[in-house]
Each structure stands twice: as C-alpha cells, then as structure tokens.
Amino acid sequence: MEFNDSRSIYLQIVDYITTGILCNRYREGERIPSVREMAMDIEVNPNTVTRSYAELQERNIIQNQRGIGYFVSEGAYRRIRDDRVRELLENEVPRLVQTLHLLNLGLDEVIEVMKTRYQETPQ
Amino acid sequence: MEFNDSRSIYLQIVDYITTGILCNRYREGERIPSVREMAMDIEVNPNTVTRSYAELQERNIIQNQRGIGYFVSEGAYRRIRDDRVRELLENEVPRLVQTLHLLNLGLDEVIEVMKTRYQETPQ
Amino acid sequence: MEFNDSRSIYLQIVDYITTGILCNRYREGERIPSVREMAMDIEVNPNTVTRSYAELQERNIIQNQRGIGYFVSEGAYRRIRDDRVRELLENEVPRLVQTLHLLNLGLDEVIEVMKTRYQETPQ
Amino acid sequence: MEFNDSRSIYLQIVDYITTGILCNRYREGERIPSVREMAMDIEVNPNTVTRSYAELQERNIIQNQRGIGYFVSEGAYRRIRDDRVRELLENEVPRLVQTLHLLNLGLDEVIEVMKTRYQETPQ
DNA sequence: GTGGTCTAGACCACC
DNA sequence: GTGGTCTAGACCACA
C-alpha cells in the first residue's frame, strides 16, 4: 500500500478500512485481519496498525474479542456512510463552491466535468 | 486572524496571501506588509511569517527587494489561479465523484445542493 | 565541525552532506544521522539541522520516513554530481577564463599551477 | 545594472568599479562618477553607493577630494590586479582542483574546455 | 527601517 | 525514539 506523506499513516489505514466496509470488502459481523496480518500486508509497523484499530474501536466501527480478533460492528456501514455524507454536504461542497467563486469559475463548467467523470468511472 | 489547528500556521499564512492575491487585496508589483507588520497584524511570531514568505518566494509568488520588503511578482495572480484550477479539476473533482460512487449518491442531488449554495454565497 | 563565517551554517551543512554522498560517506538508500545526532555531532542547534534537511529533501536528495529518519534517495549521487559538473562547466570555468583575460594572464601559466596541484592533492 | 541576489549590492558595486579600473573604464588619477550620478546610473539607493565608495576608499583604491569628488588612486590598478591574482592562485584554483577530484573528473577534459573558451572569448 | 540566521526551549504527532 | 512546528529573543548585514 502506498501512503500519502501529508497525512498520518494511521489515519490513512483508518480510511482504508472504513472504505473497505463501504464497498463490502469487510462486512458487518465478520473478522478483519489481525494487527500483525494487516501490518505485514501493508508493510507498516504493527504499532501503527494498533493505533488505527484503537481509533476505529473508539468510533464503534470495530470491536475487539479478546484472544480472537477484531470484528466489524453491527451498524458500522450506516454510521460510516452517514458521517461521510454529512462531511460531504456540510464541508466539502461548501468549500468547493467557495473556491469556484474565488476562481471566477462558473458552476456549469464544473458540473459538466463532474458528469463526464461520473459516467466514466466504472466502480 | 484565527487559525485552524489541523494545519500548520505558516501554511495558513501562505494561503491567506495567495487568496489575498486572488481577490485583489494584494496586487502584482505592490509591496506586501513587512514580516514584522504581518506578524503583529495576525498575532504570530515573526519567524513564522518569515517561513511563509520564504515558501512564497520559492514559489515565485513574491520577491524580495533587499532592505525594502517583499513585492508580489508579476504573473503571480495567473500562476496561483492556474494552480488552483488544476488542483480542482485533477484532484478535488475526481475525489468528489469517487466519493459519490462510494456512498451510492446520485450526482443530481449533489448538484442541487451546489446550485443552492452557489447562489446564496454573497461574494 | 568548523564553519565558515561568510556562508550560513545551514547551507554549509547541506554541502557537508552532498559532499558526503559524493565521496560515499553516505550511500543511497541508507539512513543519515537523525536531526538530534547530527546536531550533537557538529555542535549546532537542532533547528539548524532541521532546516538543512528540509532543503535537502526539497532537492530530492534525502527522503523522510516518518518516525524513523531520513534516508538518501535513489539517484541522489547522480543528481548531485550532474549538478556540480554543470555548475563547473557553465559557470565556474567561464568565470575563471574571463578573469584570466581581465588580468592579462596566459592560460598556460594557470594550467601549470593546476597540474601541479592536481598531482599533489592526495584524495 | 542587474544585481545578483546572493551577494550584497554594495559589494557588487565595488566589483563593478574595480573591474572598471582593470579594463580601463576608470583610469588612475581620474574622477569617477559622484555618489548621486552612480546611484542614478545603476538605479540604487545613494546610501548603498556611499557604502561601496567607503569600502573602496578604505582599500585605497579611490580617494575623496572634499567638495570635488572621488578619484582613482595612484597604483590602484596594480593593487587590484595583485589581489585578484593572489585570490585566483591561492583560493580559486585549489578549490577547482579539489572539485575535480571529488567529481572524478580528469584534468585534461577541463583544460580542453578552458582552452576553447579562452580563444572564443573576444574581450 | 528591512529580512536572514541562529539559539534555546518547548510541545506535539507519530512510529 | 523520530521529525515538525512554534515562540522568544538575539544578532547581523543591508538599504
């Protein structure tokens, strides 16, 4: 896995897992890879993965069963999706619109680009 | 000036100035406030401002005239705008579209929100 | 380490490291001393070393691995050497030749001096 | 006149004048432009020219006749030339030779380049 | 007055 | 342990 330098690795792992839940790579009630497995997979220090899992556990997205592993919580999908939708509508879209004004860009041009990309993108 | 905790102050100052150039608070060829003035204005240590100005100089947005101060470079407006437009079209829009797919959101709903906000926003 | 008063320390550190790469004291892919270690070694404030490392990173000569340290980039040797050769041929030699004309010095006399020194110099 | 950012302007003016003496633009015993004239010519603050002239006076290259102007001292040409020759042989050439070793460059290649340039250069 | 550099010391996030 | 950032305060060269 490739990491972006500008964000901390443990947060990128958090995103990787929540995104995995959104696209059904990990399903509610199922086990996710152990800290060690994950660390090997993505070539990262196990401490870092531990931190990500702690963060996810705190947000009630995964749960630890001692001695067995981490499992995706019930309702995790819904919570993640709601969070992201809120983030999108309350922060990202407003920021985008403000940028358009600043750059003297018309809304229509950008919408056109979005439409094109929206259809192109397979996944 | 209020700073956002999640980004470093010196980068927020960089943005403050580039945005200032975009909206004509600072014009090409004109002098921007001295390091000390700016530091007083926004209540920050002069070293921090120095760092921001160094960054801006490296990006050829401002230029130093020894013993006199910093001046907005010719073509700065254009360069800043081009950079931001490119960032928007190459990174932000694609990321947004991908998020829509991930969240199973239709394009139309988001466009509606954007239109509403676009008209509301004063400047 | 002894520093020359006429150039800033952080740039002398930059040179110390690039020269170190040229003469294989630091090798590509290997870790260089941490900011604190280097600061202790050469008896300089860590902030100053930080600044040098930032400069080197920007020039893609070293790379940071978060929480671990700085490593010499692949291709660093080549880039440094190419830069210095270009500097030599495009700037230093022409300046030298122009000085010779200005001083009414013959080329041969200088070449003689260079040859003598070239053989004397051990490394 | 164009100035190099990396050196202080007043020193570049000093060089401009000493070089002018070497190539007979200014001759011993003759008057050089007044501080004001020079400042106008090269578009620089008069204070800066004053500083350059002070430096030159200290090195006994020009002399002030109060109310009249600055004159090139007797023997100035010789002193400047001697200084530059010494600088060349004691510092520049050794530094150049050391660079060659560091870059694994043969002496012959560089000499070839120098010869070519030496003949080409008209002045 | 201007910016440039350096030190000392602190705090923080991260691995 | 690692680097990144910020502050405070100082000194310097320069215009």
Side-chain angles (χ1 to χ4, degrees):
Chain A
M1 185 165 166
E2 300 158 2
F3 294 103
N4 180 344
D5 261 22
S6 64
R7 284 183 72 217
S8 55
I9 293 179
Y10 89 96
L11 284 179
Q12 295 182 59
I13 297 173
V14 165
D15 274 2
Y16 171 69
I17 295 179
T18 54
T19 300
I21 293 172
L22 282 180
C23 64
N24 285 313
R25 182 169 59 245
Y26 308 121
R27 292 165 207 276
E28 297 188 5
E30 289 184 5
R31 186 173 170 274
I32 62 171
S34 74
V35 169
R36 279 188 202 179
E37 286 165 1
M38 180 65 79
M40 299 266 294
D41 277 7
I42 61 182
E43 292 175 313
V44 147
N45 189 306
N47 287 333
T48 308
V49 176
T50 299
R51 181 155 186 188
S52 305
Y53 281 18
E55 173 86 12
L56 286 163
Q57 194 164 20
E58 195 161 307
R59 285 166 55 184
N60 196 14
I61 287 169
I62 60 175
Q63 286 171 308
N64 184 15
Q65 289 192 240
R66 299 185 56 157
I68 305 180
Y70 286 90
F71 294 77
V72 179
S73 307
E74 297 301 321
Y77 180 94
R78 181 63 184 275
R79 277 194 296 281
I80 294 169
R81 186 173 183 278
D82 288 352
D83 281 354
R84 293 225 189 166
V85 169
R86 183 160 8 92
E87 166 69 15
L88 187 74
L89 296 183
E90 294 184 4
N91 297 329
E92 292 183 39
V93 165
R95 207 180 329 122
L96 180 65
V97 168
Q98 197 180 344
T99 301
L100 295 186
H101 277 120
L102 195 61
L103 299 178
N104 267 319
L105 276 180
L107 192 52
D108 296 336
E109 316 169 41
V110 176
I111 287 176
E112 214 47 53
V113 177
M114 286 176 64
K115 279 185 179 162
T116 312
R117 278 205 77 93
Y118 191 79
Q119 285 149 8
E120 282 176 358
T121 325
Q123 189 235 49
Chain B
M1 186 166 166
E2 304 153 3
F3 294 105
N4 179 343
D5 262 20
S6 65
R7 286 182 71 219
S8 49
I9 294 179
Y10 86 94
L11 285 179
Q12 294 182 57
I13 298 173
V14 166
D15 275 1
Y16 171 69
I17 296 190
T18 53
T19 301
I21 292 173
L22 281 181
C23 62
N24 284 314
R25 182 169 58 247
Y26 306 121
R27 291 166 206 277
E28 297 188 4
E30 290 185 3
R31 186 172 174 276
I32 63 174
S34 77
V35 170
R36 289 157 169 74
E37 283 167 3
M38 179 63 81
M40 299 265 297
D41 279 5
I42 61 182
E43 293 175 308
V44 146
N45 188 292
N47 283 332
T48 306
V49 176
T50 296
R51 186 165 182 184
S52 306
Y53 282 16
E55 175 85 16
L56 286 163
Q57 184 166 31
E58 201 155 296
R59 286 165 53 183
N60 196 14
I61 288 170
I62 60 176
Q63 285 172 305
N64 181 260
Q65 286 190 236
R66 305 177 67 133
I68 304 178
Y70 281 95
F71 295 76
V72 179
S73 306
E74 296 301 320
Y77 180 94
R78 181 64 184 273
R79 277 194 297 280
I80 295 169
R81 186 172 184 279
D82 287 354
D83 281 356
R84 292 219 189 170
V85 170
R86 183 161 6 91
E87 166 69 15
L88 187 74
L89 296 182
E90 293 184 4
N91 296 329
E92 292 182 39
V93 164
R95 207 178 330 122
L96 180 65
V97 168
Q98 198 179 347
T99 301
L100 294 185
H101 277 118
L102 198 60
L103 299 178
N104 269 316
L105 276 180
L107 192 52
D108 295 336
E109 315 170 41
V110 176
I111 287 178
E112 215 47 52
V113 178
M114 286 175 66
K115 279 187 177 159
T116 313
R117 279 207 74 94
Y118 191 78
Q119 285 148 7
E120 284 175 359
T121 325
Q123 202 264 54
Chain C
M1 187 165 164
E2 303 152 2
F3 294 105
N4 180 343
D5 262 18
S6 66
R7 286 182 71 219
S8 50
I9 295 180
Y10 87 95
L11 285 179
Q12 294 181 58
I13 298 172
V14 166
D15 275 359
Y16 171 69
I17 297 191
T18 52
T19 301
I21 293 173
L22 281 181
C23 64
N24 284 313
R25 182 170 59 246
Y26 305 121
R27 292 165 206 276
E28 295 188 4
E30 289 183 3
R31 187 172 173 274
I32 64 174
S34 77
V35 170
R36 289 159 170 74
E37 284 166 3
M38 180 64 80
M40 299 266 296
D41 279 6
I42 61 183
E43 292 174 310
V44 147
N45 188 291
N47 283 333
T48 306
V49 176
T50 295
R51 185 164 184 184
S52 307
Y53 282 17
E55 174 85 17
L56 286 163
Q57 184 167 30
E58 202 155 294
R59 287 165 52 184
N60 196 15
I61 287 170
I62 60 177
Q63 284 172 303
N64 180 260
Q65 287 191 236
R66 306 176 64 134
I68 305 179
Y70 281 95
F71 294 75
V72 179
S73 306
E74 297 301 321
Y77 179 95
R78 181 64 183 274
R79 278 194 296 279
I80 296 169
R81 187 172 183 279
D82 287 355
D83 281 355
R84 293 219 188 168
V85 170
R86 183 161 7 92
E87 165 69 14
L88 187 74
L89 297 182
E90 293 184 4
N91 296 331
E92 292 183 38
V93 165
R95 205 176 335 119
L96 180 63
V97 168
Q98 198 181 346
T99 301
L100 294 185
H101 276 118
L102 197 62
L103 299 178
N104 269 318
L105 276 180
L107 192 52
D108 295 336
E109 315 170 42
V110 177
I111 288 177
E112 214 48 52
V113 178
M114 286 177 66
K115 279 187 178 159
T116 312
R117 279 206 73 95
Y118 191 77
Q119 284 149 6
E120 282 176 0
T121 326
Q123 202 266 52
Chain D
M1 183 165 167
E2 301 159 1
F3 294 102
N4 180 344
D5 261 20
S6 63
R7 285 182 72 216
S8 55
I9 294 179
Y10 90 95
L11 284 179
Q12 294 181 59
I13 298 173
V14 166
D15 274 2
Y16 171 70
I17 295 180
T18 54
T19 299
I21 294 173
L22 282 180
C23 63
N24 287 312
R25 182 169 59 244
Y26 306 122
R27 292 166 206 276
E28 297 188 4
E30 290 185 7
R31 186 173 171 275
I32 63 172
S34 74
V35 169
R36 279 187 202 180
E37 286 164 0
M38 180 65 79
M40 299 266 295
D41 278 6
I42 60 182
E43 292 175 311
V44 147
N45 189 307
N47 287 333
T48 309
V49 176
T50 300
R51 180 156 186 188
S52 306
Y53 281 18
E55 172 86 15
L56 286 163
Q57 193 164 20
E58 195 161 307
R59 285 166 54 184
N60 195 16
I61 288 170
I62 61 176
Q63 286 171 311
N64 184 15
Q65 290 193 238
R66 299 186 56 155
I68 306 180
Y70 285 90
F71 295 77
V72 179
S73 308
E74 298 299 323
Y77 180 94
R78 181 64 183 274
R79 278 194 296 281
I80 294 168
R81 186 173 184 279
D82 287 353
D83 281 355
R84 292 225 188 166
V85 169
R86 183 161 8 92
E87 167 69 14
L88 187 74
L89 297 182
E90 293 184 5
N91 296 329
E92 292 182 38
V93 165
R95 206 178 332 119
L96 180 65
V97 168
Q98 198 181 345
T99 301
L100 294 185
H101 277 119
L102 195 61
L103 298 178
N104 268 318
L105 277 180
L107 191 52
D108 296 337
E109 315 170 40
V110 177
I111 287 178
E112 213 49 50
V113 177
M114 287 176 64
K115 279 186 177 162
T116 312
R117 278 206 76 92
Y118 191 79
Q119 284 150 6
E120 282 175 359
T121 324
Q123 187 235 51

